[in-house]
Amino acid sequence: MDWDTYAQTYRQLDDESTVPPLLRRVLDGSSGTLIDVGCGEGALLDRLRAGYGDAWTLTGYEVSGVRAEMARSHGHTVHTSPDGVVPVEDGSFDVATASHVIEHVPDDGVFARELLRITRPGGFVYVETPVKLPGAWYFRRNPQAGWVLDSTHVREYRSAAAVNEVLAGAGLTVVAEDLTPISYPLAAAGLLVRRVLRLPQSTKRPSGLAARSVSIPRYRQQAVLTQRPEPPVA
């Protein structure tokens, strides 16, 4: 996958306006360092900066240089590398987040271990990913995963337990989880039509009817808050 070409073709649509509740449990009333792995154009970093100001030092990571530059244009520090290895020392961050990234990576176990590696002992890892319940269908297709929400999804988990199993297998302890409906931004349909008709893509934030979303039947979003265990006391 050429992620720079993908980033130029498919702009990210962020229809969220708040920080996820499970993540707020860690961030509220505290301070430290946080990295958003697969930060895209910086949407979550924008919301974190707006909600927490200088309390949390924010960093992003991207495999796409195009999206990294978009996030940097918002004033964020963003690391890049093409191989999915975050170029930081072990245990560099108090919190690591990965929102809708693990379903794209070649090996989800390797990715989960990388999230653990860059988080300090006792630190937290927050992950979001789609869950495809029985009977769910979407019109895009990936050769590995079949009919999926996004053609770059190489997997879509069939249960919340399957997501937790991958994270636990990497050595993370599940602290809390939340399963909620997934919505499709109406603005995404507008972008699809513009691509088909080869019209210029708008960079403006959707408003009015275009800013609304509709739920996708039988799809859910699994949000998981996990913790890297402290080393045993000698």
Side-chain angles (χ1 to χ4, degrees):
M1 168 61 69
D2 184 339
W3 288 109
D4 284 339
T5 299
Y6 182 83
Q8 292 168 329
T9 304
Y10 299 95
R11 291 297 307 275
Q12 289 189 315
L13 288 173
D14 179 40
D15 60 345
E16 300 291 335
S17 59
T18 60
V19 176
L22 291 187
L23 187 55
R24 290 203 306 267
R25 288 175 52 168
V26 173
L27 304 183
D28 285 355
S30 190
S31 62
T33 56
L34 180 149
I35 184 168
D36 187 23
V37 178
C39 66
E41 298 174 16
L44 178 58
L45 293 174
D46 287 345
R47 284 183 273 141
L48 290 168
R49 182 172 57 193
Y52 294 94
D54 296 329
W56 285 87
T57 301
L58 305 174
T59 303
Y61 167 76
E62 254 300 324
V63 294
S64 166
V66 169
R67 283 193 168 152
E69 283 304 315
M70 291 179 183
R72 289 177 186 135
S73 72
H74 295 186
H76 299 299
T77 298
V78 182
H79 299 298
T80 60
S81 68
D83 57 4
V85 177
V86 186
V88 299
E89 297 294 327
D90 295 359
S92 293
F93 295 93
D94 298 303
V95 179
T97 63
S99 299
H100 292 265
V101 179
I102 196 170
E103 63 271 18
H104 296 271
V105 301
D107 189 316
D108 53 357
V110 169
F111 180 73
R113 289 191 292 275
E114 180 69 355
L115 295 176
L116 177 139
R117 180 190 71 82
I118 63 177
T119 306
R120 65 164 176 81
F124 293 89
V125 172
Y126 173 80
V127 172
E128 288 181 3
T129 189
V131 169
K132 185 176 185 177
L133 300 178
W137 179 86
Y138 205 68
F139 60 84
R140 296 191 177 105
R141 187 167 179 81
N142 179 281
Q144 291 176 248
W147 297 104
V148 287
L149 289 175
D150 186 310
S151 59
T152 62
H153 288 185
V154 298
R155 70 187 57 79
E156 287 184 347
Y157 300 97
R158 299 307 177 101
S159 69
V163 181
N164 295 351
E165 182 178 354
V166 173
L167 300 175
L172 293 161
T173 300
V174 175
V175 176
E177 57 185 304
D178 190 14
L179 197 65
T180 55
I182 286 183
S183 296
Y184 180 80
L186 294 179
L191 290 179
L192 178 61
V193 170
R194 297 185 74 87
R195 278 197 300 272
V196 171
L197 297 179
R198 298 184 179 180
L199 298 174
Q201 298 289 336
S202 174
T203 59
K204 295 181 179 179
R205 188 176 181 85
S207 60
L209 181 62
R212 298 182 182 179
S213 299
V214 293
S215 294
I216 302 174
R218 306 298 295 162
Y219 265 101
R220 300 292 184 270
Q221 173 178 277
Q222 169 74 337
V224 191
L225 179 65
T226 68
Q227 188 170 23
R228 176 176 176 176
E230 297 273 9
V233 178

